[in-house]
Amino acid sequence: MNPITNLFVNLLFSLSILFSDKIEILLCHFLLILIIFVIKKKKWSQWKNKTKPYWIFLPITGVILFLISLCFSGQDPLTIFFNVILSLFRMYGTISIMTLYIIDSGYYRIIPAIRSLWYSSKLDFHWIDRVIVFFELSIRFFPTVKEQWIVSERSHRALSFNNNNTKPINKIIQSAKMLPDFILLNLHNTDRIVENMRMRGYGKIARRSIYPFIIFSYIDVLIFISSILIVIGLHNLG
């Protein structure tokens, strides 16, 4: 399956969960989620580690929502409680399916898939190519930039004489002091990347080739259309 198709199906499934306003439709979605988890049971441990914060955060949010609705709405407590539980299940379902997608599908392949689709379209709009390059470089170099920031923060902390001051305001001040040097360092790295891209011919032609080329086939189009029809049919029948 093309990564674009995979992303579309997962997003559509997540939106379908969010817009499920009846318990029967929501149960159908959770039955499908359960089947997916049984098929991909090797991913359970990774899924558990990534979703662990939400198992604490969402119930607290539900309690706050229940108390606010109880004070300001005219509905009876049982109806409010049922609606809150339904909302929490929607959020849990959406988070679970998208987390599993990120773990299992290699979301980093979405940019090459978009580039392949753009290249096969035979259109010549240079600004679209620049947008794709921007997102591609952002995804590729974000882990490196994050690691550089952590190393710089540790270096400043090691050279500081006041290591015991851990107040939030002091952390903000320290980060503000680090930011100019960090920006200058990355501007230098950006200049080198731009120079390398120009030496490889970027900017001389409107469209760049792509390797490996990811085919967007008729099967993907069929999956697009059938997924939309299934979701619309499920909600209409409900």
Side-chain angles (χ1 to χ4, degrees):
M1 185 187 296
N2 190 286
I4 299 175
T5 308
N6 194 9
L7 176 61
F8 175 79
V9 170
N10 281 275
L11 286 176
L12 185 64
F13 187 38
S14 300
L15 289 175
S16 180
I17 295 173
L18 287 177
F19 287 106
S20 299
D21 55 351
K22 295 182 180 179
I23 188 67
E24 296 84 2
I25 300 176
L26 195 59
L27 286 175
C28 292
H29 287 86
F30 270 89
L31 180 61
L32 185 56
I33 291 175
L34 182 61
I35 294 171
I36 294 172
F37 270 76
V38 170
I39 295 172
K40 300 180 179 181
K41 57 184 178 180
K42 293 182 179 179
K43 308 293 181 179
W44 280 2
S45 58
Q46 297 180 52
W47 172 84
K48 182 180 178 181
N49 292 331
K50 288 185 177 294
T51 58
K52 190 180 296 182
Y54 297 102
W55 296 97
I56 300 173
F57 171 75
L58 287 181
I60 296 174
T61 306
V63 171
I64 295 173
L65 180 61
F66 176 77
L67 293 175
I68 292 175
S69 301
L70 196 63
C71 293
F72 296 100
S73 69
Q75 296 179 336
D76 61 282
L78 188 61
T79 303
I80 295 173
F81 179 78
F82 178 78
N83 291 332
V84 168
I85 292 296
L86 207 62
S87 300
L88 289 179
F89 271 100
R90 291 194 199 103
M91 292 301 298
Y92 277 128
T94 302
I95 292 170
S96 297
I97 200 67
M98 291 309 298
T99 302
L100 191 62
Y101 162 75
I102 292 173
I103 293 171
D104 186 59
S105 301
Y107 63 94
Y108 53 86
R109 296 185 64 225
I110 191 66
I111 296 296
I114 293 174
R115 283 185 58 192
S116 300
L117 184 62
W118 168 244
Y119 184 76
S120 61
S121 67
K122 307 299 181 182
L123 299 175
D124 292 326
F125 297 106
H126 196 57
W127 66 272
I128 296 181
D129 200 43
R130 289 179 178 177
V131 171
I132 295 174
V133 169
F134 171 76
F135 284 106
E136 185 178 12
L137 294 178
S138 299
I139 294 174
R140 182 179 298 178
F141 290 106
F142 176 75
T144 305
V145 173
K146 182 180 178 181
E147 184 178 354
Q148 288 177 354
W149 178 265
I150 294 173
V151 171
S152 300
E153 192 176 30
R154 290 176 179 173
S155 301
H156 279 75
R157 193 182 300 118
L159 295 173
S160 177
F161 293 101
N162 190 14
N163 292 326
N164 296 323
N165 202 345
T166 58
K167 294 181 179 179
I169 186 64
N170 291 302
K171 290 183 178 180
I172 295 174
I173 293 172
Q174 184 67 27
S175 299
K177 290 179 179 179
M178 290 169 49
L179 194 58
D181 295 335
F182 188 76
I183 291 175
L184 290 175
L185 176 65
N186 281 278
L187 282 176
H188 177 66
N189 294 334
T190 303
D191 289 337
R192 288 191 300 172
I193 293 171
V194 171
E195 183 180 357
N196 291 332
M197 291 177 67
R198 286 177 177 173
M199 290 176 64
R200 294 181 180 184
Y202 176 75
K204 295 180 181 179
I205 57 176
R207 296 169 65 250
R208 297 179 301 145
S209 60
I210 173 68
Y211 181 83
F213 185 81
I214 302 174
I215 299 174
F216 191 85
S217 63
Y218 291 107
I219 297 177
D220 295 298
V221 177
L222 182 62
I223 293 173
F224 261 78
I225 297 173
S226 59
S227 300
I228 295 173
L229 292 177
I230 289 172
V231 170
I232 293 175
L234 178 63
H235 284 268
N236 286 335
L237 288 175

